[in-house]
Amino acid sequence: MSTRGLRERVRDELIGEIKDAARRQLAERGAAGLSVRAVTRELGMASSAVYRYFPSRDALLTALIVDAYEGVGEAARRAESKIARERHLDRWLTVFRAVREWARSHPHEYALIYGSPVPGYAAPDDTAAPASDVALLLAEIALDAAAGNGRTDGSLPAESGGVSDALAADIEALKSTFPSVAPPDLAEALARTPTSAILHVIDAWTMLFGAVSFELFGHYRRVIDARGDNLERLARKAAAPLGLH
Amino acid sequence: MSTRGLRERVRDELIGEIKDAARRQLAERGAAGLSVRAVTRELGMASSAVYRYFPSRDALLTALIVDAYEGVGEAARRAESKIARERHLDRWLTVFRAVREWARSHPHEYALIYGSPVPGYAAPDDTAAPASDVALLLAEIALDAAAGNGRTDGSLPAESGGVSDALAADIEALKSTFPSVAPPDLAEALARTPTSAILHVIDAWTMLFGAVSFELFGHYRRVIDARGDNLERLARKAAAPLGLH
DNA sequence: CTAATTCGAGAGCAGTGCTCTTGACAAATG
DNA sequence: CATTTGTCAAGAGCACTGCTCTCGAATTAG
């Protein structure tokens, strides 16, 4: 029993070491420059040994993708948790800032998840939850703010018009997927949230990563230098339609 | 004279054939799978011959990047030019739609310019103009709309607050770069445009490519299916602060 | 017509992902 | 305790990559 557990533990440890070395390589040379041979050289093992643990180079990259999603999500959540709960706008802005900071300090890992998709990478189901983490965090803050603003039902303001039937149906369908990626109370509250408010959160999520990607991928070069200031301004703009000021 | 011109013409033609073959490869296997040997196989020449025309594989990719920038820009401009000039919102929405359509029909070329940057690629100066083409088109439409709305000075409404000094200074600096990327009359009109309006255009530009990237890179999977409808809604949202309805 | 330049082809180098075989070691079974 | 079974790392090897160099052939310039 314990012997078998030990064997598995050694295996898990080695998998961890491989991933760590691969992450170092990734940070230095980028995804295209990640070589399993270089990884094994760093670890002092034969290149073929890696294939006992990862079926292919792409599989190793996929493992790093999952970790990276958890990395951004945790960074955002950790920063946001330090802000007083009733300071809703501060919490919202903190999420934007934390994502940007994580991206700037892990540029290649960020590019791995929000840049061009890896060819052989078909998003596994266990990626769904961590990938939507930041969006859910934004939704949670928006809900808290609505509740704090005296709306006893805790719901966000509804708007009419501008939303096609197909899009409205999509959001209805989305609501039914929340229980599998969010805690029950949040999922339930979101199910009661108007479609327009959920769309505003999706917009904010899109704007956040759109702006961070533009910054990291060089599209703001010779356009905007004060990119932190710009993101904060954008965050406020995205928050306004949700009643967050 | 004519002989030398002929020689150069042959050279330019071959460069074109290499790029075409490379583009085909790019469309099939993506940027990571682009191989100069495969390109030369398709053209029936030796792999080493390519290096007479492109110093490296990355240089070949860079050439494709420049072409791709021109491709989106032209697609947007061509679609927008077919809309009656006074239908400002239609022109605006058409730009959004055209960029999305181009991206969906050239996914790998889109990923090349708006996805993770190519490692050995340092944006050359001749990329600056085509890269900002879509943003300038959006700005032009916003200006036309403001002029059509009876503002005789053709300027967009100014807003106060929310813009840091550093960011405002960036936009002032940006205004001085317009003459080198935009036609004189547009550059002049933009120089007279309030900072807040220019920021709204930059936001729209960010939102457009943020949403298209999210769609193409799979982040809207299991979130939104009616992505065309969603982009149109986002386009209207981005247009509103510019007085475009 | 000759000299200089340009060009394509081929060989070759160092590197890659990945497969297969071989032999050592540990775990479970008799 | 001895034997079988399964796991593992290592090494050789294949097909491929980007890229360099050399060597003739073709073309241009003087």
Side-chain angles (χ1 to χ4, degrees):
Chain A
M1 290 265 289
S2 73
T3 51
R4 185 169 171 262
L6 182 136
R7 199 185 178 94
E8 270 187 19
R9 235 186 46 205
V10 171
R11 188 187 168 87
D12 288 352
E13 242 174 55
L14 190 43
I15 287 182
E17 282 181 36
I18 293 173
K19 286 208 288 185
D20 286 345
R23 222 188 321 271
R24 273 192 295 273
Q25 281 248 335
L26 180 67
E28 282 176 18
R29 278 185 271 271
L34 186 141
S35 140
V36 323
R37 292 182 118 110
V39 168
T40 55
R41 264 196 301 271
E42 189 177 325
L43 267 59
M45 47 161 53
S47 66
S48 54
V50 166
Y51 293 89
R52 296 255 174 214
Y53 304 94
F54 297 94
S56 72
R57 194 199 86 123
D58 282 348
L60 176 55
L61 263 181
T62 299
L64 295 185
I65 288 178
V66 175
D67 288 359
Y69 271 123
E70 290 173 359
V72 230
E74 275 173 27
R77 215 164 263 281
R78 184 168 43 244
E80 186 265 354
S81 70
K82 288 181 185 158
I83 312 295
R85 300 337 275 155
E86 74 278 8
R87 311 215 53 175
H88 304 114
L89 182 58
D90 276 348
R91 288 166 62 194
W92 179 272
L93 296 178
T94 298
V95 171
F96 273 66
R97 276 192 287 256
V99 167
R100 173 171 183 261
E101 285 314 313
W102 187 92
R104 283 157 52 90
S105 53
H106 305 80
H108 287 113
E109 288 182 69
Y110 180 88
L112 199 58
I113 52 181
Y114 290 105
S116 329
V118 174
Y121 168 75
D125 287 344
D126 51 329
T127 313
S132 52
D133 212 25
V134 173
L136 284 172
L137 188 52
L138 292 177
E140 193 179 333
I141 298 171
L143 280 176
D144 282 0
N149 282 350
R151 268 179 258 272
T152 49
D153 61 348
S155 73
L156 286 152
E159 300 161 29
S160 58
V163 177
S164 77
D165 290 349
L167 192 52
D170 283 353
I171 301 303
E172 284 308 313
L174 179 65
K175 286 179 183 175
S176 68
T177 70
F178 285 145
S180 62
V181 291
D185 50 340
L186 177 59
E188 200 183 341
L190 283 173
R192 278 186 277 104
T193 304
T195 295
S196 57
I198 291 191
L199 283 169
H200 284 312
V201 172
I202 292 177
D203 290 346
W205 175 55
T206 303
M207 289 159 81
L208 165 54
F209 287 102
V212 171
S213 293
F214 255 30
E215 171 177 355
L216 247 79
F217 298 164
H219 297 287
Y220 280 152
R221 196 176 328 173
R222 277 187 285 255
V223 177
I224 285 176
D225 265 341
R227 285 146 197 174
D229 290 357
N230 186 57
L231 186 68
E232 174 151 341
R233 186 191 53 79
L234 198 67
R236 291 178 192 272
K237 187 174 177 177
L242 288 161
L244 255 165
H245 300 285
Chain B
M1 289 265 293
S2 73
T3 51
R4 183 170 172 262
L6 182 136
R7 196 186 179 98
E8 270 186 18
R9 235 186 46 206
V10 170
R11 187 186 168 87
D12 288 353
E13 242 174 56
L14 190 42
I15 288 182
E17 283 181 36
I18 292 173
K19 287 207 288 186
D20 286 345
R23 222 186 321 270
R24 273 192 295 273
Q25 280 247 335
L26 179 67
E28 283 175 18
R29 278 185 270 271
L34 187 141
S35 138
V36 323
R37 292 182 117 110
V39 168
T40 55
R41 267 196 301 270
E42 189 177 326
L43 266 58
M45 47 160 56
S47 67
S48 55
V50 166
Y51 291 87
R52 297 261 175 212
Y53 304 93
F54 297 95
S56 71
R57 194 199 86 123
D58 281 348
L60 177 55
L61 263 181
T62 298
L64 295 185
I65 288 177
V66 175
D67 288 0
Y69 272 122
E70 290 174 359
V72 231
E74 276 172 26
R77 215 164 262 283
R78 185 167 42 242
E80 188 265 354
S81 69
K82 288 181 186 159
I83 311 295
R85 300 337 275 153
E86 74 277 10
R87 311 215 52 176
H88 305 114
L89 182 59
D90 276 348
R91 288 166 62 194
W92 179 273
L93 297 178
T94 298
V95 171
F96 274 65
R97 276 192 287 256
V99 168
R100 173 171 183 261
E101 285 313 314
W102 187 92
R104 282 157 52 90
S105 52
H106 306 79
H108 287 112
E109 287 182 70
Y110 180 88
L112 200 57
I113 51 182
Y114 289 106
S116 329
V118 175
Y121 168 75
D125 286 345
D126 51 329
T127 314
S132 53
D133 212 25
V134 173
L136 285 173
L137 189 51
L138 292 177
E140 193 178 333
I141 298 170
L143 279 175
D144 283 1
N149 283 349
R151 270 178 256 273
T152 49
D153 62 348
S155 73
L156 287 153
E159 300 161 29
S160 58
V163 179
S164 76
D165 291 348
L167 193 52
D170 283 352
I171 302 303
E172 284 308 313
L174 179 65
K175 286 178 182 174
S176 69
T177 71
F178 286 144
S180 62
V181 291
D185 52 340
L186 177 59
E188 199 184 342
L190 283 174
R192 278 185 278 107
T193 304
T195 295
S196 57
I198 291 191
L199 283 169
H200 283 313
V201 172
I202 292 177
D203 290 346
W205 176 55
T206 304
M207 290 160 81
L208 165 54
F209 287 102
V212 171
S213 293
F214 256 30
E215 171 176 354
L216 247 78
F217 298 163
H219 297 288
Y220 280 152
R221 196 175 327 170
R222 277 187 286 255
V223 178
I224 284 176
D225 264 342
R227 285 146 198 173
D229 289 356
N230 186 56
L231 186 68
E232 174 152 341
R233 185 190 54 78
L234 197 67
R236 290 178 192 273
K237 187 175 176 177
L242 287 160
L244 255 165
H245 299 286

